[in-house]
Amino acid sequence: HGPVGAADPARTKYAVTIQGGVVAWAIRKGYKKVMNRTYGMHPGWFAVHVAKQPAKAGVVKEVRSSLPAGVLPPKEDVIPHGVVTCLVKFGPVFHRHKLRTDAEVANDVWASGPFCTVIEEVIKLPRPVVLKTGVKAQFGLLPLKKPVRAYIALAQGVEKFEVSEDDDESSSESSSDSSDSSSSSSS
């Protein structure tokens, strides 16, 4: 359920909020290759939004223990929060209790579920983009306002960005009022 990801990264319309800068850092660097949610994410391109709240100590410890030997994440307080840092392309979704033994996520330390969505590709944005508060979440996803979408398009080489009527974020319904976190999401 929820909005479908964009087929083209330059047309990304939604951001998934990540609780904790170190988790978003691990995604941006390509270490975290599975997104865990209480529901399956649709395939396609989404922006990664770092929630304003810092990661809890237990999350930081979990991230550190999941990284390759010798790799340390930056301290949580030096990572920008409340920003979009990269784009991710979501692929297949697996229920944690029904993972196929040949699935890429079957033995992935990041796959805690209950639904595990494979991160197939990551595009780093040249600089973080602030996501203003007051944006309405839809199924744990934040619709991106036109200026953020225009920046993403320009960063992908699109010379002129236009929003069509069916593409406009104001035409979509909202289900909750949260720009900083989602009650139905996990790291």
Short mmCIF file of all heavy atoms in Angstrom, two decimals, residues 17 49-53 81-83 129-137 142-143 145 148 176-181:
data_model
loop_
_atom_site.label_atom_id
_atom_site.label_comp_id
_atom_site.label_asym_id
_atom_site.label_seq_id
_atom_site.Cartn_x
_atom_site.Cartn_y
_atom_site.Cartn_z
N THR A 17 11.16 8.61 5.54
CA THR A 17 11.87 9.16 6.68
C THR A 17 12.65 8.07 7.40
O THR A 17 12.12 7.00 7.68
CB THR A 17 10.90 9.84 7.66
OG1 THR A 17 10.28 10.93 6.98
CG2 THR A 17 11.62 10.37 8.89
N HIS A 49 14.89 10.91 3.70
CA HIS A 49 14.77 12.06 4.60
C HIS A 49 15.27 11.65 5.98
O HIS A 49 14.79 10.68 6.55
CB HIS A 49 13.31 12.50 4.67
CG HIS A 49 13.02 13.48 5.75
ND1 HIS A 49 12.25 13.17 6.84
CD2 HIS A 49 13.40 14.77 5.91
CE1 HIS A 49 12.16 14.23 7.62
NE2 HIS A 49 12.85 15.21 7.09
N VAL A 50 16.25 12.37 6.52
CA VAL A 50 16.76 12.11 7.86
C VAL A 50 15.86 12.86 8.85
O VAL A 50 15.75 14.08 8.78
CB VAL A 50 18.23 12.61 8.01
CG1 VAL A 50 18.76 12.24 9.38
CG2 VAL A 50 19.11 12.05 6.91
N ALA A 51 15.23 12.12 9.74
CA ALA A 51 14.34 12.73 10.73
C ALA A 51 15.11 13.74 11.58
O ALA A 51 16.33 13.65 11.73
CB ALA A 51 13.73 11.66 11.62
N LYS A 52 14.38 14.67 12.17
CA LYS A 52 15.03 15.67 13.02
C LYS A 52 15.57 15.07 14.31
O LYS A 52 16.56 15.54 14.85
CB LYS A 52 14.05 16.81 13.34
CG LYS A 52 13.81 17.71 12.16
CD LYS A 52 12.98 18.90 12.56
CE LYS A 52 12.80 19.84 11.40
NZ LYS A 52 12.02 21.01 11.78
N GLN A 53 14.92 14.04 14.80
CA GLN A 53 15.38 13.42 16.04
C GLN A 53 16.63 12.58 15.77
O GLN A 53 16.69 11.84 14.79
CB GLN A 53 14.31 12.49 16.64
CG GLN A 53 13.05 13.17 17.04
CD GLN A 53 12.06 13.27 15.87
OE1 GLN A 53 12.28 12.76 14.79
NE2 GLN A 53 10.96 13.94 16.11
N HIS A 81 20.30 16.75 10.07
CA HIS A 81 18.98 16.17 10.32
C HIS A 81 17.91 17.09 9.72
O HIS A 81 18.14 18.28 9.52
CB HIS A 81 18.74 16.01 11.82
CG HIS A 81 19.55 14.90 12.42
ND1 HIS A 81 20.90 15.01 12.62
CD2 HIS A 81 19.19 13.67 12.83
CE1 HIS A 81 21.35 13.88 13.14
NE2 HIS A 81 20.34 13.05 13.28
N GLY A 82 16.75 16.51 9.40
CA GLY A 82 15.67 17.28 8.79
C GLY A 82 15.93 17.57 7.33
O GLY A 82 15.40 18.52 6.78
N VAL A 83 16.76 16.74 6.69
CA VAL A 83 17.16 16.96 5.31
C VAL A 83 16.99 15.71 4.46
O VAL A 83 16.94 14.59 4.98
CB VAL A 83 18.64 17.42 5.21
CG1 VAL A 83 18.86 18.75 5.91
CG2 VAL A 83 19.59 16.36 5.76
N VAL A 129 19.22 18.71 1.28
CA VAL A 129 18.15 19.67 1.05
C VAL A 129 17.22 19.65 2.26
O VAL A 129 16.73 18.59 2.64
CB VAL A 129 17.34 19.32 -0.20
CG1 VAL A 129 16.25 20.34 -0.46
CG2 VAL A 129 18.24 19.19 -1.41
N VAL A 130 17.00 20.82 2.86
CA VAL A 130 16.12 20.91 4.03
C VAL A 130 14.69 20.61 3.62
O VAL A 130 14.20 21.13 2.61
CB VAL A 130 16.20 22.31 4.68
CG1 VAL A 130 15.19 22.46 5.80
CG2 VAL A 130 17.61 22.58 5.18
N LEU A 131 14.04 19.75 4.40
CA LEU A 131 12.63 19.45 4.19
C LEU A 131 11.85 20.19 5.27
O LEU A 131 12.04 19.93 6.46
CB LEU A 131 12.40 17.94 4.28
CG LEU A 131 11.19 17.40 3.57
CD1 LEU A 131 11.20 17.74 2.09
CD2 LEU A 131 11.13 15.89 3.72
N LYS A 132 11.02 21.13 4.87
CA LYS A 132 10.29 21.97 5.84
C LYS A 132 9.28 21.13 6.62
O LYS A 132 8.73 20.18 6.10
CB LYS A 132 9.55 23.08 5.10
CG LYS A 132 10.47 23.92 4.25
CD LYS A 132 10.59 25.27 4.79
CE LYS A 132 11.51 26.05 3.87
NZ LYS A 132 11.95 27.25 4.37
N THR A 133 9.05 21.52 7.87
CA THR A 133 8.05 20.84 8.69
C THR A 133 6.66 21.20 8.21
O THR A 133 6.47 22.14 7.45
CB THR A 133 8.22 21.23 10.17
OG1 THR A 133 8.07 22.64 10.28
CG2 THR A 133 9.54 20.78 10.72
N GLY A 134 5.68 20.43 8.67
CA GLY A 134 4.31 20.68 8.28
C GLY A 134 3.88 19.90 7.06
O GLY A 134 2.77 20.01 6.60
N VAL A 135 4.79 19.12 6.48
CA VAL A 135 4.46 18.29 5.33
C VAL A 135 3.66 17.09 5.83
O VAL A 135 3.98 16.51 6.86
CB VAL A 135 5.75 17.82 4.60
CG1 VAL A 135 5.41 16.91 3.45
CG2 VAL A 135 6.54 19.03 4.13
N LYS A 136 2.63 16.71 5.11
CA LYS A 136 1.78 15.60 5.52
C LYS A 136 2.36 14.27 5.03
O LYS A 136 2.69 14.12 3.87
CB LYS A 136 0.38 15.76 4.93
CG LYS A 136 -0.28 17.07 5.28
CD LYS A 136 -0.91 17.02 6.63
CE LYS A 136 -1.71 18.28 6.87
NZ LYS A 136 -2.25 18.36 8.15
N ALA A 137 2.45 13.30 5.95
CA ALA A 137 2.93 11.97 5.60
C ALA A 137 1.79 11.15 5.01
O ALA A 137 0.64 11.29 5.41
CB ALA A 137 3.50 11.27 6.83
N LEU A 142 6.70 11.08 2.84
CA LEU A 142 6.46 12.52 2.78
C LEU A 142 6.41 12.97 1.33
O LEU A 142 7.36 12.74 0.58
CB LEU A 142 7.58 13.27 3.49
CG LEU A 142 7.78 12.94 4.96
CD1 LEU A 142 9.05 13.59 5.48
CD2 LEU A 142 6.58 13.39 5.76
N PRO A 143 5.32 13.61 0.90
CA PRO A 143 5.31 14.17 -0.45
C PRO A 143 6.28 15.34 -0.50
O PRO A 143 6.32 16.17 0.40
CB PRO A 143 3.86 14.62 -0.65
CG PRO A 143 3.25 14.68 0.70
CD PRO A 143 4.07 13.83 1.62
N LYS A 145 7.77 18.83 -1.79
CA LYS A 145 7.29 20.09 -2.36
C LYS A 145 8.07 20.39 -3.64
O LYS A 145 9.18 19.89 -3.86
CB LYS A 145 7.49 21.24 -1.36
CG LYS A 145 6.72 21.05 -0.07
CD LYS A 145 5.32 21.56 -0.23
CE LYS A 145 4.62 21.50 1.12
NZ LYS A 145 3.22 21.80 1.00
N VAL A 148 11.97 21.22 -3.69
CA VAL A 148 12.83 20.06 -3.43
C VAL A 148 12.86 19.16 -4.65
O VAL A 148 13.92 18.66 -5.06
CB VAL A 148 12.37 19.28 -2.17
CG1 VAL A 148 13.18 18.01 -1.98
CG2 VAL A 148 12.44 20.17 -0.94
N SER A 176 -1.69 11.37 7.67
CA SER A 176 -1.22 11.70 9.01
C SER A 176 -0.44 12.99 8.96
O SER A 176 -0.07 13.45 7.91
CB SER A 176 -0.36 10.56 9.58
OG SER A 176 0.85 10.48 8.89
N ASP A 177 -0.18 13.58 10.10
CA ASP A 177 0.48 14.86 10.17
C ASP A 177 1.82 14.73 10.86
O ASP A 177 1.94 14.98 12.03
CB ASP A 177 -0.40 15.86 10.90
CG ASP A 177 0.15 17.28 10.81
OD1 ASP A 177 1.03 17.53 9.99
OD2 ASP A 177 -0.31 18.12 11.58
N SER A 178 2.86 14.30 10.11
CA SER A 178 4.17 14.12 10.72
C SER A 178 5.23 14.32 9.67
O SER A 178 5.21 13.69 8.64
CB SER A 178 4.30 12.72 11.30
OG SER A 178 5.63 12.47 11.65
N SER A 179 6.18 15.20 9.94
CA SER A 179 7.29 15.37 9.01
C SER A 179 8.58 14.85 9.58
O SER A 179 9.57 14.80 8.89
CB SER A 179 7.45 16.86 8.66
OG SER A 179 7.81 17.57 9.80
N ASP A 180 8.57 14.44 10.81
CA ASP A 180 9.80 14.04 11.45
C ASP A 180 9.93 12.53 11.63
O ASP A 180 11.03 12.03 11.75
CB ASP A 180 9.95 14.70 12.81
CG ASP A 180 10.02 16.20 12.66
OD1 ASP A 180 10.48 16.68 11.61
OD2 ASP A 180 9.61 16.89 13.59
N SER A 181 8.86 11.81 11.69
CA SER A 181 8.94 10.37 11.86
C SER A 181 7.63 9.75 11.46
O SER A 181 6.64 10.42 11.25
CB SER A 181 9.27 10.01 13.31
OG SER A 181 8.19 10.41 14.14
#
